[in-house]
Amino acid sequence: MKKIAVFPGSFDPITIGHESIIKRAIPLFDKIYVAVGVNSYKTSLFTLEKRIEWLKKVFEDEPSIVVDSFSGLTVDYCKKVDAKYILRGLRTSADFEFERSVGQINKQIYENIETVFFLSAITHTPLNSSIVRDILKNNGDVSKFIPQKIQGLIKL
């Protein structure tokens, strides 16, 4: 049985923190779906197409990574792609409390799913997409915070 995981997120935009967690998870799984969640209640700064394009570029040399999108419940997407694991990154204790609750509810909805937590690298702890968006909106340089392969591509 193949070990298949889903790393869901908005990736608006992808950061080096996301990239680090995904790359560290590659040796543990046969396939990882990096899945952009479409949330009709949330307004994204970047289009779904752009976010998918950037993710594909970042992981173009990783044959076990599949970039996709989904709407609805993450566990329903996991069932669709036959994934038994959801990957989540943890930066802070607040992240843990939130992700623990979501993971426990997911387990109640779909008993075959396990949530796997990765601690962020110490240098990535303060980093999130909201901060990157704010820097971009104020004409700042985000090159330190986004994957090298897409530097220069993320612009407003």
Side-chain angles (χ1 to χ4, degrees):
M1 178 194 275
K2 285 193 170 201
K3 288 185 270 176
I4 301 172
V6 170
F7 188 93
S10 62
F11 305 106
D12 189 34
I14 182 176
T15 69
I16 57 173
H18 297 125
E19 178 187 33
S20 169
I21 288 169
I22 294 164
K23 285 189 171 182
R24 289 168 37 216
I26 288 172
L28 301 177
F29 299 97
D30 298 304
K31 185 183 286 188
I32 300 172
Y33 287 86
V34 179
V36 182
V38 178
N39 184 340
S40 60
Y41 300 110
K42 216 174 176 185
T43 303
S44 299
L45 183 60
F46 298 103
T47 66
L48 175 63
E49 294 75 23
K50 274 289 177 205
R51 291 179 281 155
I52 288 173
E53 175 187 323
W54 294 331
L55 287 163
K56 285 182 176 179
K57 180 75 174 159
V58 170
F59 298 107
E60 66 188 352
D61 299 325
E62 300 292 348
S64 65
I65 300 292
V66 176
V67 176
D68 198 5
S69 65
F70 73 101
S71 60
L73 296 175
T74 302
V75 291
D76 289 338
Y77 180 75
C78 290
K79 290 176 189 177
K80 176 183 167 190
V81 299
D82 201 29
K84 302 293 185 230
Y85 305 93
I86 297 174
L87 300 178
R88 299 303 296 155
L90 300 176
R91 295 167 302 179
T92 65
S93 59
D95 283 353
F96 172 73
E97 289 302 326
F98 175 76
E99 295 295 347
R100 179 182 55 82
S101 296
V102 173
Q104 289 173 329
I105 294 297
N106 285 340
K107 186 75 170 167
Q108 289 181 31
I109 294 170
Y110 181 41
E111 66 183 26
N112 294 327
I113 201 72
E114 292 294 340
T115 302
V116 179
F117 297 124
F118 277 75
L119 299 178
S120 68
I122 292 170
T123 55
H124 301 154
T125 298
L127 179 61
N128 63 48
S129 294
S130 297
I131 291 171
V132 172
R133 287 192 305 271
D134 194 45
I135 294 168
L136 282 166
K137 288 176 186 175
N138 289 285
N139 301 313
D141 178 10
V142 296
S143 60
K144 292 179 184 177
F145 311 116
I146 60 171
Q148 187 173 6
K149 284 189 171 187
I150 59 170
Q151 289 182 4
L153 298 179
I154 297 181
K155 298 174 186 170
L156 292 181

